[in-house]
Amino acid sequence: MLKEPACVRLSATHPLAGRDRIVLADLAEETWTIIVEEDDGSQEAMADACRRAGFTPKLRYRIGDRKMRWDLIVAGRAISLCRPTSPHAEGTVLRPLAGDPLTGRIRTWTEGTPASREQEQAERRSPLHRQ
């Protein structure tokens, strides 16, 4: 199973937006938002990663509307974990977390990418693979 590191989405005007990578502990005082429909264990994984980094995330916004999520981030009212393949959202930046403290399973990929080639090779090596 292929994994990808989680990133954090911040307002483009956020004080940490200029960093190449962000240390999770540097986000301890931030207000977080999540999409409530994502019941894939990511909220629990985020909370666990934050605890390991020494803090409990302030999860203020649990919303179902992705546009509202972006609007909160653009306004500087919240930050959010995102996949590195998330689409661009005007007024925000997506930054990787230093040390990859949180990863998720890659569920989809584009043909011809390193992830798709790695998945194809893994499937060929699997004892369940049939010719």
Side-chain angles (χ1 to χ4, degrees):
M1 174 174 29
L2 298 175
K3 298 275 188 174
E4 65 183 347
C7 293
V8 64
R9 187 171 301 273
L10 315 154
S11 167
T13 61
H14 191 285
L16 300 177
R19 292 189 183 176
D20 290 333
R21 291 179 123 2
I22 296 177
V23 175
L24 185 57
D26 290 346
L27 302 172
E29 298 303 315
E30 298 294 331
T31 299
W32 295 77
T33 181
I34 62 162
I35 297 293
V36 293
E37 65 195 36
E38 293 178 351
D39 188 19
D40 58 1
S42 59
Q43 182 178 343
E44 293 84 1
M46 178 188 87
D48 187 52
C50 291
R51 273 191 293 280
R52 288 191 313 271
F55 70 98
T56 300
K58 293 183 233 173
L59 185 53
R60 180 166 183 190
Y61 303 103
R62 292 172 177 88
I63 54 179
D65 182 330
R66 292 183 191 280
K67 172 142 179 19
M68 182 183 289
R69 177 187 189 193
W70 299 145
D71 290 346
L72 286 168
I73 295 169
V74 169
R77 295 182 64 190
I79 64 172
S80 184
L81 287 180
C82 291
R83 298 182 184 282
T85 54
S86 295
H88 174 72
E90 193 66 36
T92 71
V93 296
L94 194 59
R95 297 291 181 256
L97 294 170
D100 299 332
L102 191 59
T103 60
R105 190 178 114 214
I106 297 176
R107 290 181 252 181
T108 61
W109 54 81
T110 304
E111 290 298 318
T113 64
S116 70
R117 287 190 292 276
E118 187 176 331
Q119 180 63 29
E120 290 166 6
Q121 290 172 357
E123 287 174 359
R124 281 196 286 277
R125 290 189 303 265
S126 170
L128 300 176
H129 178 73
R130 294 187 182 146
Q131 299 287 336

